[in-house]
Amino acid sequence: MLNENIKSIRKSKGLSQEELAIRLHVVRQTVSKWESGISVPDADLLLALSEALETPVSTLLGETVAVSPAEDLKAIAEKLEIINVQLAQRKVNRRKAVHWLLIVLCAVILTTTAALIVLHSPYLDWDFSDPETAVAGTALHAGEWLFVRLAPPLLAGIVVGIVCTREKRR
């Protein structure tokens, strides 16, 4: 909600992200992160943003009711806290998704390796005088050759990724 409000109000004022960033003394990427919902401005920047956009903070936060200044700051702090909690939860969810994706990739590589070991590359015993089996045997042999060369470093990278994305115990 905050990100959409910043973007729409900025556009309605005819400002680019760069122009708004200059007014706030931040880099353009900061404004871009706010508008894409990756981060939120802190309380000081939120006040400066409302001044730069000539819009009340409550409007930026999506409220249309008028509140007293003391309640306004408290409401801003509460809304920012909620947004920060949501961003933190989104980050945790992404980390978990990447973690499980890496585990699945690790399992696929290990399963494929086990299958190649158990099967002893049966297509190498095929009759290569038959054009259809020769093409299939060559393609399977090329796939195995590529897999055998890429799997070890890929597996090592995946294991490092799994360790790096695991949930940290407190």
Side-chain angles (χ1 to χ4, degrees):
M1 176 168 26
L2 174 63
N3 58 332
E4 296 164 356
N5 291 343
I6 293 172
K7 186 175 187 176
S8 63
I9 294 169
R10 174 187 58 80
K11 286 185 174 185
S12 71
K13 300 287 183 182
L15 295 172
S16 67
Q17 286 182 344
E18 184 71 32
E19 291 168 332
L20 182 57
I22 290 169
R23 287 185 183 186
L24 298 173
H25 306 292
V26 297
V27 294
R28 183 202 56 79
Q29 288 83 355
T30 301
V31 175
S32 177
K33 285 181 181 180
W34 294 341
E35 291 182 358
S36 61
I38 295 173
S39 68
V40 294
D42 61 22
D44 293 335
L45 276 173
L46 191 58
L47 292 172
L49 183 62
S50 74
E51 289 173 10
L53 294 175
E54 300 169 346
T55 305
V57 174
S58 59
T59 303
L60 286 173
L61 294 174
E63 293 182 5
T64 54
V65 289
V67 288
S68 67
E71 291 175 356
D72 192 26
L73 288 177
K74 185 177 179 182
I76 291 169
E78 290 172 358
K79 287 243 184 211
L80 287 175
E81 185 177 343
I82 291 169
I83 291 170
N84 282 329
V85 167
Q86 290 171 343
L87 288 173
Q89 186 60 44
R90 188 181 308 163
K91 183 178 177 182
V92 167
N93 290 342
R94 283 187 189 139
R95 183 199 48 78
K96 284 181 181 179
V98 168
H99 182 76
W100 284 105
L101 176 67
L102 292 173
I103 289 173
V104 167
L105 285 174
C106 185
V108 167
I109 289 174
L110 292 175
T111 303
T112 304
T113 302
L116 289 174
I117 290 170
V118 168
L119 295 176
H120 300 291
S121 302
Y123 54 86
L124 294 178
D125 298 331
W126 287 357
D127 178 14
F128 284 91
S129 62
D130 180 16
E132 289 182 12
T133 57
V135 171
T138 303
L140 288 172
H141 182 70
E144 181 182 355
W145 181 87
L146 187 62
F147 177 80
V148 167
R149 268 123 192 106
L150 293 179
L154 189 60
L155 186 61
I158 289 171
V159 168
V160 168
I162 290 170
V163 170
C164 290
T165 59
R166 75 182 188 285
E167 186 173 357
K168 308 225 179 347
R169 303 279 180 202
R170 293 183 191 197

